Amino acid sequence: MAPYESDDTTTAGEVDEPRTGRRRAARYVVPVTVMGVAAATIGLVPAIASSGDPDLPEITAAQLIEKIAKSDVEQLSGTVKITTDLGLPDLGGLESGLMSGAVERGGDDGSSADPSARLTELASGTHTLRIAADGPDRQKVSILENAAEYSLIHNGKDVWGYDSASNEVHHGTVDAGEHREQQPPTLPKDFAEEALKSVDDTTSVTVDGTAQVAGRDAYKLVVEPRQSGSTVGAISIAVDHETGVPLKFTLTPSSGGSAVVDVGFTKVSFDRPDASTFAFTPPKGAKVTEEGEAEHGREHSGKPERAPKSEEDLAKGLDGLKTLGKGWNTIATFDSGAPGGLPSGDAGGDLGGFVDSLGDRVKGEFGTGTVFSTRLINALVTEDGTVYVGAVTKDALVKAADAGK
């Protein structure tokens, strides 16, 4: 793995005294079972610094994972750069047009400040975020744009979304701890936690030396699938030497090339942010939309209501969902509820040709279907409407579909 490049530096304050086990558990959800993985799975290779990298005490992969799990830092601020390159098909500007249109029109509530609309922008391209956190009830994320920014502020029960370009504000309230569970991943630790949940006997975990990230000394933890057939090549996590906080997360695909996901601090401080960081008052003249107003307006306008978002509704939508395989080669399959599959070729007319241009037609014992691919996630939709999806290769999806027949 290539060493991390040194980023902008900033002076970090002392780490706060350890907090209660309850808060630690809420902050870092790394399964305890990770620590029980056999030594054959977790490589017990100590960190050895290369020339020019920090010279840190030796540590094993198991010890480094434990260091992440025990980290209890809840105060921090800094700048994060996030790049996502899924290699989505070129839609001739359709995708960017839809995205810009969504921002211009706003989210479901008609406001460009609606978090559900704006935070989806992080799913592609490169973005710079300004981050601040002070415990479970105060966080702020700002997406920096050309001469403007979008900010999402959680302060106690209040959640504010503010778009400076349109001078629009979205306001809602949450119960204690609820907002954190609903936040999309924006920090290296968010991605690291999910990756570490996948550690089992199908995984190789090693320490690959040291690095400097945002001016701080860090260990490099490398997670790799042992199985063939996964689209994940390797995951590299830079872990802060002092605090155990993941500072940088990089996922490279098995197909090679640039990272699919690269998230890292360029500046970071573990001092407590000033309370004024999380204070927000709508600017004069701003259009303020209260959560729930849009639904009320649709009831009177005859426009359709928002799609249901409860876990129960989602479960109904994926009735019969099951998983095949193990570890990194796990494939989810379900009935899409669309018998006949997707239109293709001459039979589907113009729509069929468009569908074919987005995916690859495949055949097997299961019949025929279309595989839609990104650099990380692939999905096979068969002619009978069955969907197979996972971070696996096209061949692995076809084999799973054949085995299901």
Side-chain angles (χ1 to χ4, degrees), residues 166-257:
S166 64
N167 199 27
E168 291 185 84
V169 175
H170 180 95
H171 177 243
T173 58
V174 294
D175 294 330
E178 181 183 342
H179 179 65
R180 174 173 293 170
E181 296 175 359
Q182 296 177 346
Q183 285 187 121
T186 53
L187 294 176
K189 79 161 190 70
D190 299 327
F191 294 89
E193 286 171 1
E194 292 304 313
L196 292 178
K197 289 178 185 178
S198 302
V199 171
D200 58 16
D201 59 2
T202 68
T203 311
S204 167
V205 186
T206 58
V207 179
D208 185 27
T210 64
Q212 232 190 30
V213 178
R216 296 186 64 86
D217 294 344
Y219 294 105
K220 293 190 296 183
L221 186 71
V222 176
V223 180
E224 297 176 288
R226 291 181 182 274
Q227 305 161 296
S228 60
S230 173
T231 55
V232 177
I235 292 171
S236 181
I237 304 169
V239 183
D240 187 62
H241 160 58
E242 286 188 26
T243 66
V245 173
L247 298 174
K248 189 174 177 68
F249 174 96
T250 304
L251 186 156
T252 53
S254 57
S255 59

Side-chain angles (χ1 to χ4, degrees), residues 162 167-169 280-288:
Y162 174 57
N167 199 27
E168 291 185 84
V169 175
F280 180 79
T281 300
K284 184 177 180 179
K287 175 187 175 183
V288 179

Side-chain angles (χ1 to χ4, degrees), residues 125-143:
T126 298
H127 304 273
T128 299
L129 312 179
R130 193 161 50 228
I131 303 287
D134 181 13
D137 296 322
R138 282 176 293 278
Q139 299 98 32
K140 181 176 181 179
V141 178
S142 296
I143 305 174

